[in-house]
Amino acid sequence: MMERVVTTKKDGKTATTTYRFHLQDHAGNLIKRWDNAPHFSGFNGFPHHIHRGKENHVVPGRPINGLEILDEIDREFFDADEESKK
């Protein structure tokens, strides 16, 4: 996880300016990566995008922060495991 957060001097509000959240399996294979590197300018929500599985499988994303990523991973991967056990 890499997230750059800045706080404004004027009003003290914080904002994420740059991020990369990388999820991989035990063998080091990419499962999913969320980032806002300024490429894929044709996507809605530019520069936010998600790499799924392979580096070249990219879909539009949305602004997101580290806490939201942890929630999303929990819902998407761990809740799915619990559902399959029922």
Side-chain angles (χ1 to χ4, degrees), residues 46-72:
F46 172 80
H48 311 282
H49 59 278
I50 304 164
H51 299 260
R52 294 178 181 259
K54 298 185 178 191
E55 278 295 315
N56 61 354
H57 183 210
V58 183
V59 297
R62 63 175 177 81
I64 196 162
N65 65 45
L67 294 175
E68 292 171 313
I69 287 295
L70 294 174
D71 285 341
E72 187 168 321

Side-chain angles (χ1 to χ4, degrees), residues 11-77:
D11 59 12
K13 292 186 179 181
T14 60
T16 297
T17 60
T18 306
Y19 64 86
R20 287 186 307 274
F21 305 113
H22 185 102
L23 179 64
Q24 64 188 47
D25 66 16
H26 68 282
N29 299 306
L30 177 67
I31 296 172
K32 201 169 186 182
R33 184 176 75 241
W34 301 257
D35 71 74
N36 67 345
H39 43 259
F40 305 109
S41 60
F43 283 172
N44 289 334
F46 172 80
H48 311 282
H49 59 278
I50 304 164
H51 299 260
R52 294 178 181 259
K54 298 185 178 191
E55 278 295 315
N56 61 354
H57 183 210
V58 183
V59 297
R62 63 175 177 81
I64 196 162
N65 65 45
L67 294 175
E68 292 171 313
I69 287 295
L70 294 174
D71 285 341
E72 187 168 321
I73 290 169
D74 186 51
R75 279 191 314 274
E76 189 170 334
F77 296 96

